[in-house]
Amino acid sequence: MNTIDSSPVDDGSSADLVSVTELQNQVNDLLKQLSPERLRVLADFAAYLANAESEIATQELLAIPGLLERVKQNQATSKAQYANWRTLRSDV
C-alpha cells in the first residue's frame, strides 16, 4: 500500500524527514499514473510554484537595504576601475 503524506511541506524540518531524492522519486512514480490532462494541470501548478518561489527570493533581495543601488552602481563602474583580487589578497 502506497500512502502519501498530504501535510504541507515546511522548508526546514521536513527536509530532515524525507530527502529531496525520495520526494523526486515519489513524484516520478505518481506522474506515471496521471492522464495527459492531469499532467497539464500539474505542469501549470509546478510553474506557478516555481514562479512564486522566485518571487519570494526576489522580494527577500529587494528587502536588503541599499542592495539595488549598489548593484546599479557596480554596473555603472567601468571595468578599468576593477582590481585583480590576487593582487589585493595574496593569502587567498
Side-chain angles (χ1 to χ4, degrees), residues 4 19 29 34 36 47 50 52 57 65 72-75 77 79 81 91-92:
I4 300 171
S19 75
D29 290 341
L34 295 178
K72 287 179 182 179
Q73 180 184 14
N74 288 338
Q75 287 176 337
T77 303
K79 301 229 188 268
Q81 294 179 349
D91 62 331
V92 181

Side-chain angles (χ1 to χ4, degrees), residues 52-62:
E53 194 162 307
S54 175
E55 180 64 27
I56 290 169
T58 300
Q59 293 304 319
E60 288 173 358
L61 289 173
L62 291 174

Side-chain angles (χ1 to χ4, degrees), residues 10-92:
D10 180 359
D11 289 340
S13 63
S14 66
D16 298 337
L17 300 175
V18 180
S19 75
V20 171
T21 303
E22 289 171 340
L23 287 172
Q24 289 172 336
N25 289 337
Q26 185 179 14
V27 168
N28 285 331
D29 290 341
L30 292 170
L31 286 175
K32 296 172 187 173
Q33 300 174 30
L34 295 178
S35 68
E37 294 81 19
R38 294 291 186 191
L39 281 171
R40 193 166 301 121
V41 171
L42 181 59
D44 289 344
F45 184 63
Y48 164 78
L49 289 177
N51 185 46
E53 194 162 307
S54 175
E55 180 64 27
I56 290 169
T58 300
Q59 293 304 319
E60 288 173 358
L61 289 173
L62 291 174
I64 299 172
L67 179 64
L68 189 57
E69 290 77 18
R70 288 185 300 213
V71 169
K72 287 179 182 179
Q73 180 184 14
N74 288 338
Q75 287 176 337
T77 303
S78 84
K79 301 229 188 268
Q81 294 179 349
Y82 291 162
N84 186 326
W85 65 269
R86 288 183 177 93
T87 61
L88 298 174
R89 297 279 310 263
S90 61
D91 62 331
V92 181

